[in-house]
């Protein structure tokens, strides 16, 4: 398993009296207070606001520009029995946004339909052919969700036939469509305080305003859908997004949505607590699979169905689609990885890989996996009929959108933001793109930029890890972008046991601690280093504590993010190379690469070992 050496950044906290004071005030462990302080919550009122969120914490939806206009137009459509069509997107944010809007308008007595573009043939956003078809079916009002902010030409072509309300969260262009209303907190003329809502969050605010106007009460019962879309879209889980997900998780635990219940059941989560992590890694991929592999309408149909038999049928389709997606993803990932290793592309500043007929709905996931493994900006391109369609993912310090802008003379089309983008290119220009984007990266990136940074919230000893800490960690949830799980470190803990686990010994399991407290520690994909770790050796680990439940027994285990080890014994490195598919590694340069890229840990006396071979 290739793995990059990481740079650990320790917290700088010196005011012990303030930590003790705040811990007493909020009845929390000092460890949790240190986490909050490390993350910039330094004042009592900031901490109180972070910890104590309820439905009264929502911002007034009528602060959003054009919400009043949109509400009046929708109420008119409901009262006159006009057909309203919700125009969505094929990702989870779009699927949940569409489902939410459909259910709310139906609840309010409206006549409602929906449209999701097909990923492969139509692509993202509004298209004129679809809008014409929607008009011919009798629609007079279209409400977009998670799209539309850039559809100037498409809206103009249909404006004499359809009224269009746009709800979106993407960055608005300088010229906006001429629509009945545009609801997007990122508009420069919008004073709404929360700018980082997901598409489903913006749609929810419009639904919230409608509900308040017509029902005279707060809308809470569909926060299960809003939470799923918010987590899946990887927006910052601070501010109103944190509130949405926190309340939404409570709604998921008691959801009355028949389709969501069936989805949770088919994913094996019926008897488990669904948190933001399970949304991101279990529920969202299943909903996403429909849009990636077939048609996202299946996802909307599941989340809006009122029939259990239909929900069971649709959840089974999504389960099969997700399995198919995983299979295709694995196949492409293996091909990409093989090309990177065989062609030494991991030495490039930007990894550019192209292959024929790779599934365009999957290469973005593969690009993310490659970034995780090599910590390099990545461009993966699928070639067909002389045209390449690519997905790009980047690292901190390299704005991939700016890089594509500088390479625009080689591209047919591109778009995105600083860490993720897409492109279309003629196959004949792929080699030129690789050369040019690497040259650009050389002027921007330094060797330090290729070391992922691990920000440590607090340094602990094994004595600090107890049930009080585990209980207190729950007050920091939900975890996600902007509010990640706390990262803890233990320095110089003793290895009590070490062994490989999983298929082919892929993973590493340790028992660490002192004579009083010992904990199991799991390190995924680091089984290859078990041969260089020894009982009673010292090790530094970065981890997150979690409960492990097995046969009615509950214990705390450490989920290891990274580790550092001081080499103290003779190791058969050549044998270790063979186990890691580096059978021809004979030079000192290759040995050095082995330590930094394969072993994935820092050996303090690495150079001494290399020189002795």
């Amino acid at each position: 398993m290739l793995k990059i050496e990481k740079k650990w950044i320790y917290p700088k906290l010196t005011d012990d009296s303030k930590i003790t004071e705040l811990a007493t005030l909020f009845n929390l462990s000092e460890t949790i207070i240190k986490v909050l302080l490390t993350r910039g919550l330094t004042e009592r009122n900031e901490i109180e606001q972070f910890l104590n969120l309820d439905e009264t914490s929502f911002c007034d939806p009528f602060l959003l520009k054009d919400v009043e206009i949109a509400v009046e137009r929708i109420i008119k459509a409901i009262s006159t029995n006009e057909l309203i069509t919700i125009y969505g997107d094929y990702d989870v944010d779009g699927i949940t946004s569409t489902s939410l809007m459909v259910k709310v308008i139906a609840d309010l007595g409206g006549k409602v339909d929906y449209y999701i573009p097909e990923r492969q043939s139509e692509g993202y956003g509004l298209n004129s052919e679809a809008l014409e078809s929607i008009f011919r079916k009798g629609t007079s009002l279209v409400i977009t969700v998670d799209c539309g902010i850039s559809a100037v030409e498409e809206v103009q072509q249909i404006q004499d036939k359809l009224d269009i309300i746009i709800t979106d969260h993407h960055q608005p262009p300088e010229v906006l469509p001429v629509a009945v209303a545009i609801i997007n907190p990122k508009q420069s003329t919008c004073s709404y305080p929360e700018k980082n809502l997901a598409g489903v969050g913006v749609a929810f605010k419009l639904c919230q305003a409608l509900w308040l106007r017509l029902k005279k009460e707060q809308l809470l019962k569909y926060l299960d859908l809003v939470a799923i879309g918010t987590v899946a879209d990887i927006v910052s889980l601070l501010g109103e997004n944190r509130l949405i997900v926190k309340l939404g998780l409570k709604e998921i635990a008691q959801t009355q949505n028949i389709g969501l219940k069936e989805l949770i059941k088919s994913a094996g989560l019926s008897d488990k607590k669904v948190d933001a992590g399970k949304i991101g890694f279990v529920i969202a991929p299943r909903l996403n699979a429909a849009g990636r592999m077939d048609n996202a309408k299946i996802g909307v149909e599941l989340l809006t169905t009122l029939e259990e038999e239909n929900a069971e049928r649709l959840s089974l389709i999504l389960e099969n689609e997700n399995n198919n997606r995983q299979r295709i993803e694995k196949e492409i990932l293996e091909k990409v990885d093989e090309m990177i290793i065989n062609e030494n592309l991991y030495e490039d500043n930007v990894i550019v890989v192209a292959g024929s007929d790779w599934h365009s709905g999957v290469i973005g996931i593969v690009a993310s996996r490659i970034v995780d493994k090599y910590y390099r900006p990545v461009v993966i391109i699928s070639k067909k009929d002389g045209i390449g369609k690519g997905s790009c993912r980047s690292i901190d310090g390299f704005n991939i959108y700016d890089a594509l802008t500088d390479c625009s003379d080689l591209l047919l089309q591109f778009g995105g933001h600083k860490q993720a983008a897409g492109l279309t290119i003629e196959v004949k220009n792929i080699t030129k793109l690789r050369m040019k984007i690497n040259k650009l990266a050389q002027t921007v990136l330094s060797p330090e930029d290729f070391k992922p940074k691990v920000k440590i919230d607090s340094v602990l000893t094994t004595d600090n890890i107890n049930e009080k800490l585990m209980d207190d960690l729950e007050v920091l949830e939900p975890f996600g972008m902007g509010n990640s799980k706390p990262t803890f470190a233990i320095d110089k803990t003793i290895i009590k046991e070490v062994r490989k686990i999983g298929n082919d010994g892929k993973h590493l399991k340790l028992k660490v601690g002192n004579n009083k407290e010992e904990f199991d520690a799991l390190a995924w994909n680091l089984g290859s280093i078990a041969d260089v770790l020894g009982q009673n050796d010292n090790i530094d680990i970065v981890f997150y504590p979690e409960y492990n439940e097995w046969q009615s027994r509950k214990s705390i285990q450490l989920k290891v993010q990274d580790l550092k080890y001081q080499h103290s014994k003779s190791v058969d490195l050549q044998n270790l190379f063979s186990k890691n598919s580096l059978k021809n590694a004979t030079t000192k340069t290759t040995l050095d690469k082995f330590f930094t890229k394969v072993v994935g840990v820092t050996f303090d006396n690495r150079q001494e070992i290399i020189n002795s071979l």
Side-chain angles (χ1 to χ4, degrees):
M1 170 67 183
L2 295 174
K3 202 172 190 311
I4 304 302
E5 183 180 333
K6 299 176 182 178
K7 182 178 181 179
W8 295 10
I9 301 174
Y10 286 88
K12 296 178 181 179
L13 293 172
T14 56
D15 193 347
D16 292 338
S17 61
K18 184 174 184 177
I19 293 170
T20 302
E21 177 188 343
L22 290 171
T24 303
L25 178 64
F26 290 104
N27 190 28
L28 294 171
S29 66
E30 292 191 1
T31 298
I32 299 299
I33 297 299
K34 289 177 182 178
V35 171
L36 293 169
L37 293 175
T38 299
R39 298 183 177 196
L41 299 174
T42 58
E43 301 302 324
R44 172 179 172 173
N45 66 320
E46 293 175 326
I47 295 174
E48 195 165 18
Q49 186 177 14
F50 180 84
L51 297 176
N52 301 321
L53 290 174
D54 59 32
E55 62 186 78
T56 65
S57 305
F58 277 116
C59 300
D60 180 359
F62 288 97
L63 292 175
L64 277 160
K65 182 179 183 296
D66 284 0
V67 157
E68 185 71 54
I69 298 171
V71 166
E72 292 302 321
R73 180 63 184 90
I74 295 168
I75 290 175
K76 177 179 179 290
I78 292 173
S79 64
T80 57
N81 203 34
E82 295 177 56
L83 177 59
I84 304 169
T85 295
I86 313 304
Y87 193 116
D89 185 27
Y90 41 69
D91 65 2
V92 180
D93 193 9
I95 290 169
T96 52
S97 300
T98 305
S99 303
L100 168 72
M101 194 70 74
V102 166
K103 292 179 81 68
V104 168
I105 290 178
D107 276 0
L108 295 173
K111 185 180 177 182
V112 64
D113 196 3
Y114 64 89
Y115 185 88
I116 305 287
E118 201 276 324
R119 186 184 197 119
Q120 305 294 337
S121 61
E122 295 180 86
Y124 169 77
L126 300 179
N127 70 80
S128 296
E129 187 177 334
L131 290 172
E132 283 287 349
S133 175
I134 289 168
F135 168 71
R136 288 195 299 269
K137 290 180 180 179
T139 293
S140 55
L141 175 62
V142 168
I143 304 173
T144 77
V145 290
D146 193 31
C147 66
I149 195 67
S150 300
V152 176
E153 186 175 333
E154 291 80 3
V155 172
Q156 183 180 10
Q157 288 177 2
I158 202 73
Q159 63 182 353
D160 293 336
K161 300 176 181 179
L162 289 173
D163 282 350
I164 297 182
I165 294 171
I166 293 171
T167 75
D168 203 346
H169 71 125
H170 297 99
Q171 191 64 41
E174 289 186 15
V175 178
L176 298 175
V178 180
V180 171
I182 298 178
I183 303 170
N184 184 334
K186 290 188 174 73
Q187 293 179 90
S188 60
T189 53
C190 182
S191 60
Y192 194 74
E194 179 57 76
K195 302 296 184 182
N196 297 311
L197 293 170
V200 72
V202 178
F204 170 70
K205 298 308 294 187
L206 175 56
C207 291
Q208 195 180 41
L210 275 167
W211 207 263
L212 285 167
R213 180 63 54 85
L214 294 176
K215 296 278 192 178
K216 311 300 182 187
E217 63 184 22
Q218 189 68 266
L219 177 62
L220 297 174
K221 67 175 181 176
Y222 295 127
L223 281 170
D224 46 6
L225 299 180
V226 189
I228 290 170
T230 298
V231 171
D233 211 51
I234 320 180
V235 293
S236 175
L237 292 193
L238 296 172
E240 197 163 23
N241 287 331
R242 173 175 164 77
L243 173 62
I244 285 170
V245 177
K246 188 170 185 177
L247 296 182
L249 289 172
K250 292 180 181 179
E251 289 297 315
I252 290 173
Q254 58 187 15
T255 186
Q256 298 303 304
N257 187 302
I258 294 170
L260 181 55
K261 278 184 178 179
E262 199 61 45
L263 184 63
I264 290 171
K265 179 181 175 182
S266 66
L269 298 178
S270 294
D271 58 345
K272 296 179 174 63
K273 175 187 173 184
V274 176
D275 56 16
K278 288 186 175 64
I279 289 175
F281 293 103
V282 182
I283 294 175
R286 283 162 170 79
L287 286 172
N288 228 346
R292 290 186 184 279
M293 306 304 299
D294 186 14
N295 196 310
K297 291 179 181 177
I298 297 171
V300 178
E301 189 180 347
L302 174 68
L303 295 179
T304 57
T305 187
L306 300 177
E307 299 175 5
E308 290 188 10
E309 187 175 332
N310 194 36
E312 186 175 353
R313 177 183 67 84
L314 292 168
S315 65
L316 181 60
I317 292 173
L318 287 182
E319 192 69 26
N320 291 335
E321 289 291 352
N322 190 52
N323 290 336
N324 190 31
R325 187 270 305 169
Q326 289 176 326
R327 177 183 59 78
I328 293 173
E329 176 192 327
K330 182 180 179 183
E331 290 172 358
I332 297 174
L333 180 61
E334 288 175 351
K335 291 176 182 176
V336 169
D337 207 22
E338 184 178 1
M339 292 170 69
I340 291 170
I341 292 172
N342 290 344
E343 298 174 30
N344 294 328
L345 297 180
Y346 53 79
E347 295 180 346
D348 287 355
N349 291 319
V350 181
I351 296 173
V352 179
V353 180
S356 297
D357 290 323
W358 288 342
H359 198 295
S360 60
V362 173
I363 57 175
I365 304 176
V366 175
S368 295
R369 299 277 190 268
I370 295 298
V371 171
D372 290 342
K373 183 170 184 177
Y374 295 97
Y375 205 68
R376 293 281 194 278
V378 172
V379 180
I380 296 184
I381 300 170
S382 175
K383 300 181 294 184
K384 185 175 183 179
D385 299 329
I387 300 296
K389 292 188 176 181
S391 286
C392 316
R393 299 294 183 270
S394 196
I395 62 175
D396 290 340
F398 189 72
N399 187 316
I400 193 70
Y401 180 81
D402 286 351
L404 293 181
T405 302
D406 290 339
C407 296
S408 59
D409 59 310
L410 299 172
L411 306 175
L412 297 174
Q413 192 176 358
F414 69 97
H417 51 83
K418 64 180 181 180
Q419 287 200 302
L423 62 83
T424 305
I425 186 172
E426 291 185 82
V427 169
K428 65 182 182 181
N429 287 330
I430 292 175
T431 300
K432 293 178 182 177
L433 173 66
R434 179 188 173 194
M435 294 174 63
K436 187 168 184 177
I437 201 168
N438 268 280
K439 190 174 181 180
L440 287 169
Q442 192 172 4
T443 66
V444 175
L445 296 170
S446 69
E448 282 298 303
D449 290 319
F450 296 115
K451 288 185 179 181
K453 296 177 179 62
V454 179
K455 293 183 179 179
I456 296 166
D457 290 289
S458 183
V459 179
L460 306 180
T461 66
T462 49
D463 296 333
N464 301 132
I465 305 171
N466 50 42
E467 289 188 4
K468 168 65 174 170
L469 174 63
M470 301 300 289
D471 290 341
D472 287 354
L473 279 170
E474 292 184 7
V475 307
L476 302 179
E477 296 180 354
F479 298 125
M481 178 68 70
N483 185 46
S484 59
K485 286 184 177 181
T487 302
F488 302 112
I490 297 179
D491 294 334
K492 301 296 182 289
T493 189
I494 301 171
I495 298 175
K496 300 292 185 176
E497 297 176 14
V498 55
R499 62 189 176 95
K500 298 178 182 180
I501 60 172
N503 294 334
D504 301 320
K506 186 177 181 181
H507 309 301
L508 176 69
K509 184 171 184 178
L510 306 170
K511 188 178 288 292
V512 298
N514 52 37
N515 293 329
K516 293 182 180 180
E517 297 287 348
E518 295 181 359
F519 296 96
D520 286 337
L522 299 178
W524 302 117
N525 298 314
L526 282 182
S528 60
I529 70 169
D531 298 324
V532 300
L533 301 176
Q535 192 171 350
N536 296 321
D537 285 340
N538 287 331
I539 194 171
D540 302 338
I541 61 172
V542 173
F543 68 95
Y544 177 80
E546 59 186 12
Y547 278 120
N548 178 42
E549 297 186 40
W550 175 252
Q551 296 182 342
S552 301
R553 295 181 61 185
K554 189 176 181 181
S555 61
I556 300 173
Q557 66 181 10
L558 313 183
K559 187 175 180 180
V560 177
Q561 282 184 252
D562 199 23
L563 53 84
K564 293 183 180 180
Y565 169 74
Q566 185 167 354
H567 180 71
S568 62
K569 64 176 184 176
S570 175
V571 178
D572 184 356
L573 290 175
Q574 293 292 350
N575 182 45
L576 201 54
F577 287 161
S578 298
K579 294 179 181 180
N580 286 279
S581 302
L582 289 172
K583 296 179 181 179
N584 297 321
T586 54
T587 67
K588 291 181 180 180
T589 301
T590 308
L591 292 173
D592 194 37
K593 286 181 184 177
F594 169 77
F595 281 106
T596 57
K597 293 183 179 294
V598 179
V599 175
V601 296
T602 300
F603 286 79
D604 294 340
N605 56 342
R606 176 175 61 195
Q607 196 59 49
E608 179 184 337
I609 296 170
I610 292 173
N611 291 339
S612 67
L613 292 171

